[in-house]
């Protein structure tokens, strides 16, 4: 791998390559520096790792402004950095990234400095560099460590996880690629 990480996601893409996204760095305090927005693809045929576009900044769905939880002076949009999210391969070969946690300046989970992310992203390996990520909507109930599965009709279901109050959640949401992707 090109980047050390823990609690990221790994997804087998339609091309047979493996996408590894986000995560955090163990041994560091939960802050913006703990999380990463990096993404890379492993090609098992060539036994080679290649950096791809990092996850994009996502506007705060309530205010329309970019969420900024980075250190002072950092650019807005630290919502890109996330860990403990879920990822799944879509029938068309792209990957869906859902939820997860990132650094927070406000509502802290048990003062660990993390905040569940509501955003959903789609990664498309075939897109030109700079255009590999698409914002694909947001969760009604932001959660970390949920469960994501592909349904027979191509939609995905995201359920359970922990909400902003670090309470287990029974929330269930359906993602329809035809409507959101």
């Amino acid at each position: 791998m090109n980047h050390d990480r823990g609690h990221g996601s790994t997804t087998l893409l339609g091309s047979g390559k493996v996408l590894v996204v986000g995560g955090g760095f163990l041994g560091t305090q939960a802050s913006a520096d703990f999380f990463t927005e990096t993404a890379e693809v492993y090609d098992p045929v060539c036994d080679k790792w290649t950096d791809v576009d990092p996850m994009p900044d996502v506007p705060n769905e309530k205010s329309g402004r970019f969420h900024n939880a980075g250190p002072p002076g950092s650019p807005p949009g630290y919502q890109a950095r996330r860990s403990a999210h879920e990822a799944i391969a879509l029938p068309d070969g792209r990957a869906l990234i859902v939820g997860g946690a990132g650094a927070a300046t406000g509502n802290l989970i048990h003062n660990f400095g993390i905040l569940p992310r509501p955003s959903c992203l789609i990664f498309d390996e075939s897109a030109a560099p700079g255009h590999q990520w698409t914002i694909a909507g947001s969760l009604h109930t932001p959660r970390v460590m949920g469960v994501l599965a592909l349904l027979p009709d191509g939609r995905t279901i995201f359920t359970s996880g922990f909400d902003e109050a670090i309470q287990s959640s029974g929330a269930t949401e359906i993602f329809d690629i035809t409507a959101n992707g």
Side-chain angles (χ1 to χ4, degrees):
M1 291 179 75
N2 294 329
H3 306 277
D4 293 339
R5 66 183 83 229
H7 298 287
S9 64
T10 304
T11 310
L12 181 63
L13 299 171
S15 65
K17 296 177 184 174
V18 178
L19 173 67
V20 177
V21 176
F25 307 104
L26 296 177
T28 60
Q29 189 80 6
S31 69
D33 294 331
F34 173 82
F35 301 97
T36 183
E37 73 276 26
T38 62
E40 53 192 310
V41 170
Y42 175 70
D43 183 338
V45 174
C46 300
D47 189 27
K48 180 180 177 185
W49 288 94
T50 303
D51 287 339
V52 294
D53 292 347
M55 287 183 283
D57 295 336
V58 179
N60 180 307
E61 287 78 11
K62 292 180 183 173
S63 69
R65 298 190 181 117
F66 283 95
H67 174 79
N68 187 355
S74 64
Y78 262 71
Q79 191 159 353
R81 296 179 176 208
R82 69 182 71 205
S83 181
H85 53 276
E86 297 300 320
I88 197 163
L90 297 170
D92 63 6
R94 298 181 298 167
L96 173 65
I97 311 298
V98 177
T105 54
N107 305 321
L108 306 181
I109 294 179
H110 283 274
N111 296 320
F112 288 131
I114 59 174
L115 182 67
R117 299 295 184 225
S119 56
C120 302
L121 304 170
I122 293 179
F123 175 80
D124 185 352
E125 179 187 20
S126 67
H131 302 281
Q132 293 177 316
W133 289 98
T134 304
I135 299 168
S138 63
L139 298 168
H140 294 288
T141 306
R143 293 170 302 231
V144 300
M145 300 188 317
V147 179
L148 184 63
L150 186 64
L151 298 171
D153 63 4
R155 297 179 302 157
T156 60
I157 184 170
F158 184 62
T159 188
S160 65
F162 295 95
D163 62 19
E164 291 181 17
I166 206 160
Q167 298 294 314
S168 18
S169 172
T172 298
E173 299 182 48
I174 302 291
F175 180 83
D176 185 349
I177 186 92
T178 58
N180 297 329

